[in-house]
Structure formats: structure tokens, C-alpha cells
Amino acid sequence: EICRQGDIEDDDSASLYAIIRGRVQVSIDQKHVAELKDGQCFGEACILGLCMERTATVKARTIVDALVLHRPTLLKALAVFPAEAAKFARLASAKTGAAAQFVQTTPL
């Protein structure tokens, strides 16, 4: 299990996972909803600050190599690249309509 639905993430522990190789199963309320593979990612809601709680359980189906991006690292990068911060705000808005919250908590 890579992450469990309901786990609480704070600003320091929120992370996005980018799958380099392998497959993972995504479940919500113990129901299989997706399988992700090479080049796909998960954890965007937490890293964007849209929620503090993991919205799904993710389990490895094979050996998985993944890159992990932690929220503090993302925020430091966005402080240097404000145009990218605007892109992330649009992504957050498209995901949940919560761009204002993301922008307010992102140091520019």
C-alpha cells in the first residue's frame, strides 16, 4: 500500500507520485476505480492543497518505480516561477474549483 484513503497529510507530508515504471490500483471506499501505469501520477489533490485527507487507497500491482514530489519542494519552485504557479492554480480550479485556496497558500 502506497497510500491509504483517509490518511491525513499536512503541508510537509503531502506528496505527488509520478509512476516511472509499474502499475498501481486505485480504490475508493474499497471499490476499484482505476489502474495507473507508466507516466501517470496520483496525489495531486494533496500536493495542490485541495484536501488534507487522501481521497483514495493506492496499492502496487507490480514492482513500482516512482518519483515523489513533496509539497514544500513544489512551493519553493513555484515561488521562483510565478507563471507556473498560475498554471497550477488553473489545474486546481479545474479539479475542484478551489484555485483561490491554492493561490492564497502559495508564496509568490
Side-chain angles (χ1 to χ4, degrees):
E1 209 169 74
I2 299 170
C3 62
R4 178 176 292 169
Q5 182 178 3
D7 283 354
I8 302 299
E9 304 287 329
D10 61 24
D11 277 347
D12 292 329
S13 64
S15 303
L16 174 124
Y17 297 81
I19 302 168
I20 302 302
R21 183 185 65 177
R23 293 185 180 278
V24 300
Q25 177 180 312
V26 181
S27 301
I28 298 175
D29 298 329
Q30 300 179 344
K31 180 181 176 187
H32 173 81
V33 295
E35 184 167 298
L36 304 177
K37 59 184 180 182
D38 306 5
Q40 294 182 295
C41 63
F42 59 94
E44 65 277 5
C46 282
I47 199 169
L48 290 174
L50 302 177
C51 63
M52 299 293 291
E53 187 176 302
R54 290 287 179 184
T55 58
T57 296
V58 180
K59 294 181 181 179
R61 304 292 290 157
T62 65
I63 294 175
V64 175
D65 289 326
L67 296 175
V68 181
L69 176 61
H70 301 286
R71 183 171 169 79
T73 303
L74 174 65
L75 294 180
K76 286 178 190 173
L78 294 180
V80 176
F81 299 102
E84 296 303 316
K87 290 178 186 178
F88 275 88
R90 285 192 299 277
L91 174 64
S93 178
K95 186 114 179 116
T96 66
Q101 176 188 353
F102 177 73
V103 171
Q104 290 172 358
T105 60
T106 303
L108 298 178

